[in-house]
Amino acid sequence: MPDTPDSPSAAAPAGGARRPRNKSLMGQILIWMFGPLFLLWTIGIVITYFIAQNIANAPYDRTLTDHLRALKHEIEQSRIDGGFSLSPTLLTVFRGEDEQPTRWEIRDANGHSLAGTAHIPLPDNWAYEKDKIRFLNDSLDGQSVRIAYTWGGQDANGTPFLTVVAQTNERRAILQQEILTGMLTPQLIVLPLAALLAGLGLTQGLEPLTLLQERIRARRPNDLSPIEQDLAPAEITPLLTAMNDLLHRLASSTQAQRRFVANAAHQLKTPLAGMRTQAELALREHSTEKLDDSLKQLVKGSQRATRLVNQLLALTRAESVDNPARHASERIDLNTLAQAQTARWVEQAMLKNIDLGFEPASGPVWIAGDSLMLDEMLGNLIDNALLYTPENGWVTVRVGHSPAPCLEVEDSGSGIPAEYREQIFDRFFRILGTSVDGSGLGLAIVKEIAEQHGATIAFAEPGQRNGQPGTTCLRISFPT
């Protein structure tokens, strides 16, 4: 039976692996907020228990101490060798208002009971600390009791004795429970309310994220404008900044692609139309000589189209935001790079009988950059100089290092009028009246690559060579 969209096998990814679910931001905040809060609340309950125990013990310990001192004082006024019994006043005080009176006992120095409730528990090793009151928790007749004892009393005959009193812990436990109830009840009421209010507060606090999500979903697919940050919380401003940076790079890439398509369509229209015309003429020609002329024109047209496409691709690659040259940091010697690139154009220069020369610097000239893009830049400079230099002219490639590393390409061509020196770096700009086949992209590529490397391009004062003056000298200066 084939899997349907609702069947488990269709829903599970290949290999049986399940994709982890995205964690809720609110859930994570609540966990990290209330997890430690409940832990602290638990610790607080334990601390509250001991505090309540101490609070409950304090008044009853004072009462027990008063009973112990009153009993000791009364014994010191009596003689215990003939027996001892509590006075009516002390008996009333010890009986109290409930059915659990304070129990008492008198022991001698050897720990033998002399009067009162026999065998009230005492520590196995108790010290003879005069007038020092000690407390002890133990059980007596199956009841939990609090015991106070002190040594150092003497009756009227000078007989030393140990005074012991004991009270049950029932009233202490009740007071302790009441204290705990009074302290914890507000917490049990406030804590759920705090959780509810915190949840509502988080919901309201995350409302800008919901609004931001709706605004992003409402954007058109081709809308790459920056996301407005006016309603965004400060905490997600860095995220929006990163998203806007991504949108900017994506817009730049898309714009470069559109520009490339538009430029290619516009610039290829003319050579392709010419090639089509020449092909149609060749089909109609019966003369071998005229047919050869048409085929030669077809070859020239295809060469122009090929050169134009290569330059368009080079320009697009240079403008691309993902171009590795934007982040490259190779250590390049301009002498080595310029010498190798000049050698590649020697054959082209010889076809036009142009003297192509190279003047290196006195030593290595190091810069940081991308060697492939710098080759493309220098190649376009040399190509442009060769195109606009007439036969029997000269072109010189020069490397300098003072005051900054630089490349120079100088020629004895037709020159560039001063009013056009800013425009020649624009795409597809060509000076009217020139008979040279070109696309107007060479210097635009040079400028783009130079700017990527932090270099500046400017006109320098031309010199002369073999008695023939130069007309144009372009200098590219790199940062030190």
Side-chain angles (χ1 to χ4, degrees), residues 56-307:
N57 279 335
Y60 287 102
D61 281 350
R62 286 195 295 268
T63 301
L64 198 60
T65 300
D66 292 340
H67 289 182
L68 182 67
R69 288 173 175 168
L71 177 61
K72 178 183 175 184
H73 178 73
E74 187 164 308
I75 297 173
E76 289 175 342
Q77 307 302 319
S78 307
R79 294 181 175 82
I80 57 176
D81 54 354
F84 175 80
S85 60
L86 294 179
S87 64
T89 302
L90 194 57
L91 186 61
T92 301
V93 172
F94 275 26
R95 184 178 296 116
E97 299 178 355
D98 53 22
E99 297 179 356
Q100 296 178 346
T102 300
R103 302 185 185 185
W104 60 275
E105 183 182 10
I106 304 171
R107 297 192 182 190
D108 61 16
N110 296 320
H112 299 132
S113 182
L114 299 177
T117 302
H119 308 302
I120 295 178
L122 287 176
D124 295 334
N125 298 313
W126 50 272
Y128 292 91
E129 297 174 316
K130 186 176 181 180
D131 297 329
K132 185 71 173 180
I133 299 176
R134 295 291 184 181
F135 292 93
L136 172 68
N137 289 318
D138 212 318
S139 60
L140 178 64
D141 297 335
Q143 290 182 310
S144 175
V145 293
R146 179 77 164 171
I147 303 168
Y149 62 92
T150 184
W151 171 263
Q154 293 182 353
D155 66 355
N157 293 329
T159 304
F161 61 89
L162 176 70
T163 311
V164 184
V165 293
Q167 284 181 340
T168 63
N169 286 325
E170 183 176 350
R171 286 176 291 178
R172 298 169 183 257
I174 293 173
L175 179 58
Q176 181 179 347
Q177 184 178 1
E178 291 175 350
I179 294 174
L180 283 174
T181 302
M183 296 178 69
L184 295 181
T185 299
Q187 297 182 27
L188 293 174
I189 297 175
V190 169
L191 194 62
L193 290 177
L196 178 61
L197 293 176
L200 292 175
L202 283 175
T203 302
Q204 293 298 317
L206 295 177
E207 182 66 20
L209 293 181
T210 304
L211 296 176
L212 180 62
Q213 175 186 350
E214 294 175 355
R215 290 167 60 182
I216 293 177
R217 287 183 181 275
R219 291 166 70 97
R220 297 187 303 275
N222 59 347
D223 185 2
L224 299 178
S225 60
I227 301 172
E228 296 181 2
Q229 303 181 16
D230 52 347
L231 298 179
E235 288 75 11
I236 67 169
T237 298
L239 173 62
L240 291 181
T241 301
M243 292 177 63
N244 286 337
D245 180 63
L246 175 62
L247 288 174
H248 174 71
R249 288 186 281 122
L250 184 60
S252 299
S253 177
T254 304
Q255 185 179 7
Q257 292 177 1
R258 291 175 179 173
R259 187 164 55 244
F260 171 75
V261 173
N263 293 339
H266 176 73
Q267 295 298 319
L268 288 174
K269 186 185 300 182
T270 300
L272 290 178
M275 291 171 64
R276 179 179 177 179
T277 301
Q278 293 298 328
E280 291 175 349
L281 289 174
L283 289 174
R284 292 197 298 265
E285 290 294 343
H286 299 286
S287 170
T288 304
E289 183 178 351
K290 291 183 178 180
L291 179 61
D292 289 343
D293 290 339
S294 296
L295 292 177
K296 290 179 181 178
Q297 293 298 323
L298 277 173
V299 171
K300 289 182 179 179
S302 65
Q303 289 175 344
R304 287 195 297 269
T306 301
R307 183 173 183 274

